[in-house]
Amino acid sequence: QLQLVESGGGLVQPGGSLRLSCAPSRFSLDIYAMGWFRQVPGKEREAVACISRTDGTTYYAPSVKGRFTISRDNAKNTVYLQMNSLKPEDTAVYYCGAAPSRTDSWYARYEYEYDSWGQGTQVTVSS
C-alpha cells in the first residue's frame, strides 16, 4: 500500500476554483490508476474523477463533468484535481486513492478497487 498525501483544500466562495494535489510519500505512481473521491457526513464515499495510469483515460461523476478536471504528471509523481465553478454541494472531504492497475487505459471507478488512500482534505464552498 502507498501512503498518499493530499493538499490544496480550503474555503472558497461559490463559483470559485481550487486545485487539489496528491503525491505518495514513497514509491512511484505510474503503475497505479488514480482517483478522487469525496464524502460528506452520513453518506458513502463517492467517486468524483478517475484516471488511468498512463494514457489519460478518465471518468467523471455526472455532477462534476465539465467543471472538474483530473490530471497526472508521472514525472512529478503527482495527481491533480482542478475544480472550477464550485458549488455549495461540492463541500466534502476529498480523498485521493491509488488502485493497482491492470492496463494502461483502465481506471478504477469503485472504492473497493483501491488499496491505498490519503488522509483527506476538506473542501468547503460557502459565501
Side-chain angles (χ1 to χ4, degrees):
Q1 293 185 346
L2 300 179
Q3 289 182 316
L4 301 171
V5 180
E6 301 111 334
S7 60
L11 173 64
V12 63
Q13 292 186 343
S17 298
L18 283 175
R19 189 175 80 158
L20 306 182
S21 299
C22 170
S25 57
R26 297 181 296 168
F27 306 113
S28 173
L29 286 178
D30 62 3
I31 62 171
Y32 292 89
M34 301 297 294
W36 288 96
F37 285 63
R38 66 187 181 189
Q39 189 171 26
V40 297
K43 292 191 175 181
E44 293 186 354
R45 194 176 296 189
E46 64 170 354
V48 174
C50 312
I51 190 167
S52 63
R53 69 183 183 189
T54 57
D55 75 353
T57 304
T58 56
Y59 162 82
Y60 293 97
S63 60
V64 307
K65 198 167 187 178
R67 300 188 297 122
F68 290 11
T69 302
I70 187 171
S71 62
R72 64 190 298 162
D73 186 337
N74 286 344
K76 294 183 178 180
N77 215 28
T78 304
V79 176
Y80 305 97
L81 184 67
Q82 178 67 44
M83 304 185 294
N84 298 328
S85 302
L86 282 160
K87 304 175 181 180
E89 51 264 43
D90 294 318
T91 296
V93 177
Y94 284 70
Y95 297 90
C96 172
S101 184
R102 304 168 188 178
T103 68
D104 288 347
S105 61
W106 177 80
Y107 57 76
R109 183 176 169 184
Y110 302 103
E111 189 175 357
Y112 72 85
E113 296 175 304
Y114 290 78
D115 69 356
S116 302
W117 295 96
Q119 80 287 352
T121 185
Q122 177 70 46
V123 171
T124 302
V125 185
S126 175
S127 55

